[in-house]
Amino acid sequence: MPWLLIAAAALLAWGGYTFWQGRTAASSFDRYLVQGRGLELAVEEQPSHGSTHLQPGADFLYGESIPTSGPHSPYDLKPGFYTKPQPLERLVHNLEHGNIVIYYDQANSATLRLLRSWTRTFGGPMDGLVVAPMEGLGSRVVLTAWQKKLVLDPFDPVTAAVFIDAYRGRGPESSVR
């Protein structure tokens, strides 16, 4: 019987910690967003390369290293923070759903901690964040939405928050916001 009380206490503590972490990440995002009110973004508008679904398992050779539209996998990725590169075909599908996909390579640990916390705040399937590594970016962090790209070098959380707020949940298959 005592083990049941210990397990219940541990579960309650974990739940409280998880809730606190989520609130902390949300409040930091909101704080950056307030700081960025009226900020003009240097967003690159990308042309449409379509939105057709490829056959399951098919690869596609995009004409650019960071695509923001085009033929893609019929399967997306679960929003979240990834430590290994992910297939571009699946990431483009996430963009179609209204997710923001953020690429990093050699970002500093503070930036990675912040982005990881934001993925816990924004985890919805049609308005979430996907953060994944991509070799060759160096210190740059690249934020993408459907037909939109923003390169940050150095990373600026205020600018990133404004971009995320402007485009999250606004893909061609999603208008949840």
Side-chain angles (χ1 to χ4, degrees), residues 58-167:
D59 293 328
F60 185 77
L61 184 57
Y62 294 98
E64 54 196 308
S65 60
I66 301 178
T68 61
S69 68
H72 54 272
S73 170
Y75 309 113
D76 62 343
L77 293 165
K78 181 178 181 193
F81 188 92
Y82 293 86
T83 58
K84 293 185 175 150
Q86 299 301 308
L88 291 175
E89 295 84 2
R90 291 185 76 181
L91 292 167
V92 171
H93 193 142
N94 282 81
L95 295 175
E96 183 183 40
H97 282 185
N99 292 173
I100 301 296
V101 176
I102 302 172
Y103 298 95
Y104 69 92
D105 183 13
Q106 299 169 11
N108 65 50
S109 60
T111 296
L112 295 178
R113 272 193 310 275
L114 181 65
L115 292 175
R116 184 183 298 268
S117 74
W118 286 356
T119 63
R120 289 190 295 266
T121 301
F122 304 113
M126 302 301 268
D127 63 350
L129 297 182
V130 178
V131 179
M134 176 178 276
E135 289 184 16
L137 294 178
S139 62
R140 293 175 292 158
V141 174
V142 180
L143 291 86
T144 60
W146 189 257
Q147 294 183 246
K148 312 275 189 243
K149 181 166 47 170
L150 178 65
V151 178
L152 297 178
D153 189 13
F155 177 77
D156 174 39
V158 172
T159 305
V162 171
F163 180 92
I164 291 166
D165 187 65
Y167 299 110

